[in-house]
Amino acid sequence: MAAADGLPMEAIVMADVAIVLLAGAVMVRLSRRLHQPPVVAEIATGIMLGPSVLGLLPGDLPARIFPDGGLPMLSAIAQVGLVLFMFLAGWELDLTRLRGQGRTVGSMAGLAMAVPFVLGLGAAALLFGAHGADGVSALSFVLYLATAFSITAFPVLARIIRDSRLSRTRVGTMAMACAAIGDVVAWCVLVLVVAIADASGVGQFVTVVAWTVAYGTGMALIVRPVLHRVVRRAARRGDTASLLILIVSGVFLSSYATSWIGIHAIFGAFAFGLIMPHDPGGAAELHEHVATPLERAAGILLPVFFVITGLSVDIGALGTGGLLSLALVVGAAVVGKFAGAAIPARLSGMSWREAGAFGALMNTRGLTEIVILDIGRELGLIDAEMFTMMVVMALLTTTMAGPLLRVLRVGPAAPGATGPPAAPAPDLAAHLDAVASGTGRVPETRGPA
């Protein structure tokens, strides 16, 4: 395949990847000076390379730099990075570490999702007439948007907590635990929403749900114990090269299985990560030779995903009506998270300062939200304007966290802090920091989760 100027499309795609990586590296460096997590810079880079910024210049530069013929190749590259990232996210989410957290954590996690979900239902109902895509039922649209409103980005949250030195505080520990629980619940709800949206009738929906249950059961009862034995045996022998091939193949096959069932490929990658062992023998070798290469690969490929997303975001096309809808979206998202997180935190005994910080942390959406929005875009659940508004909301809510935490000055010795510092929060997403920043470097204190 060749472009209009005679160059092979493959060559253009390789140049596109280079542009994405270089632009992302510059923006990440700038984001660090502004005390923002790298994912904010990467989302902003994707928007800047699309019609919202670059498209304002003469010559239709986004279409010339990223021609339509190259988009399928770029999308395939982005999907590989996304699948690897979701596997790492699942691997990091050690649910056994949440045992014994008590009813308080469960209640707070539930409210931090339920309140924005309910507000999201109301906002989605108001927006359906103007932004529901053709052929999409009101039920699918409303449930999908409500789920998107209730998300907290666990990997980005972990990065912000570490950067703000909140890992040993009650606020940081509670936020990590609640976000971990919320992540699992959100993905489960999203599986059902996708099944409803993608099914052509009740019979197909029941079939998708039945296959999903069978898949989950097989992963838990058959694949998990076999995988644990294989990983431990390979780690003891030091055969990490073969283990890396086995794990990557398992991730892709699991992604294929969920795609075949009728739900998105990322659910398969995430599920395969969840069943990975968290305490195998030879932990250091496993991390060095398996996790680290995957982190680096995802760190290089994932920025392409943000550019593919940014090409579908056109802020200038919103118009006056779109800006009013955007204000509704951002307002419902922020109020929902703060009401659902900060007020219960205050009632649980935190100071207002700590409760505000907890609400700011739970309001971060980052990469997780972008992934969910991309699913909605692929399935045609939302139109282009709604997609743009939700992406802007994800960027704004994630950007808000850092400045709010600095204003609130929450920490072990901060004014108004109550009680002694909490036990160290489980560093469940240490190597996801490396993925988000694209460095591939992981703190030495972490074992393979």
Side-chain angles (χ1 to χ4, degrees), residues 110-391:
L111 287 170
M113 284 201 66
V115 175
F117 187 90
V118 171
L119 283 182
L121 288 175
L126 293 175
L127 294 167
F128 175 70
H131 300 289
D134 294 338
V136 174
S137 68
L139 177 63
S140 298
F141 179 87
V142 169
L143 287 178
Y144 167 77
L145 269 192
T147 304
F149 273 107
S150 64
I151 289 297
T152 294
F154 179 75
V156 177
L157 177 70
R159 170 65 185 256
I160 293 174
I161 286 175
R162 285 195 298 276
D163 287 350
S164 304
R165 296 191 294 276
L166 295 175
S167 296
R168 294 178 179 269
T169 66
R170 175 167 54 174
V171 173
T173 303
M174 187 70 72
M176 288 286 284
C178 290
I181 294 172
D183 248 21
V184 175
V185 173
W187 288 118
C188 292
V189 172
L190 191 63
V191 168
L192 290 177
V193 173
V194 171
I196 293 172
D198 215 23
S200 58
V202 176
Q204 186 180 351
F205 171 72
V206 172
T207 300
V208 170
V209 172
W211 273 113
T212 302
V213 172
Y215 162 82
T217 303
M219 292 289 283
L221 300 182
I222 300 174
V223 179
R224 183 177 183 272
V226 172
L227 182 63
H228 281 220
R229 284 197 296 270
V230 170
V231 167
R232 288 189 174 92
R233 188 175 303 167
R236 284 195 301 267
R237 294 199 310 262
D239 187 13
T240 52
S242 298
L243 184 59
L244 177 61
I245 294 173
L246 174 67
I247 290 174
V248 172
S249 299
V251 171
F252 290 150
L253 288 174
S254 183
S255 298
Y256 170 81
T258 53
S259 295
W260 181 85
I261 288 171
I263 54 179
H264 202 279
I266 64 170
F267 297 122
F270 186 74
F272 197 82
L274 285 177
I275 66 170
M276 279 289 292
H278 292 269
D279 56 348
E285 290 79 7
L286 184 67
H287 176 256
E288 179 183 356
H289 297 288
V290 176
T292 299
L294 297 183
E295 291 158 6
R296 290 172 176 166
I300 292 174
L301 300 178
L302 201 57
V304 180
F305 170 73
F306 291 108
V307 170
I308 295 294
T309 302
L311 293 176
S312 301
V313 173
D314 190 356
I315 299 174
L318 290 180
T320 303
L323 292 177
L324 292 176
S325 296
L326 175 60
L328 173 63
V329 166
V330 175
V334 173
V335 171
K337 275 298 182 183
F338 271 91
I343 294 176
R346 173 59 179 158
L347 295 176
S348 73
M350 290 186 186
S351 68
W352 277 115
R353 189 185 296 271
E354 290 176 310
F358 180 71
L361 289 169
M362 296 301 291
N363 192 41
T364 58
R365 288 172 171 86
L367 175 59
T368 307
E369 182 79 2
I370 301 298
V371 172
I372 288 176
L373 294 176
D374 189 65
I375 293 174
R377 181 179 63 85
E378 285 185 9
L379 295 177
L381 291 173
I382 51 179
D383 65 9
E385 286 191 359
M386 191 75 247
F387 179 77
T388 294
M389 289 185 282
M390 293 297 289
V391 170

Side-chain angles (χ1 to χ4, degrees), residues 15 27 39 58 92 102 107 169 186 221 240 258 274 298 308 347 375 395 404 414 425 431 435 444:
M27 290 296 293
V39 68
E92 279 293 334
S107 300
T169 66
L221 300 182
T240 52
T258 53
L274 285 177
I308 295 294
L347 295 176
I375 293 174
L395 182 61
L404 285 174
H431 68 261
V435 175
E444 294 180 358

Side-chain angles (χ1 to χ4, degrees), residues 57-86:
L57 300 176
D60 194 12
L61 293 178
R64 291 180 63 85
I65 297 173
F66 305 101
D68 291 341
L71 292 182
M73 299 182 200
L74 286 173
S75 181
I77 293 171
Q79 288 301 311
V80 171
L82 183 58
V83 163
L84 293 178
F85 177 85
M86 292 306 298

Side-chain angles (χ1 to χ4, degrees), residues 91-102:
W91 193 5
E92 279 293 334
L93 201 55
D94 186 359
L95 299 180
T96 62
R97 297 187 181 185
L98 299 178
R99 293 174 185 169
Q101 296 286 346

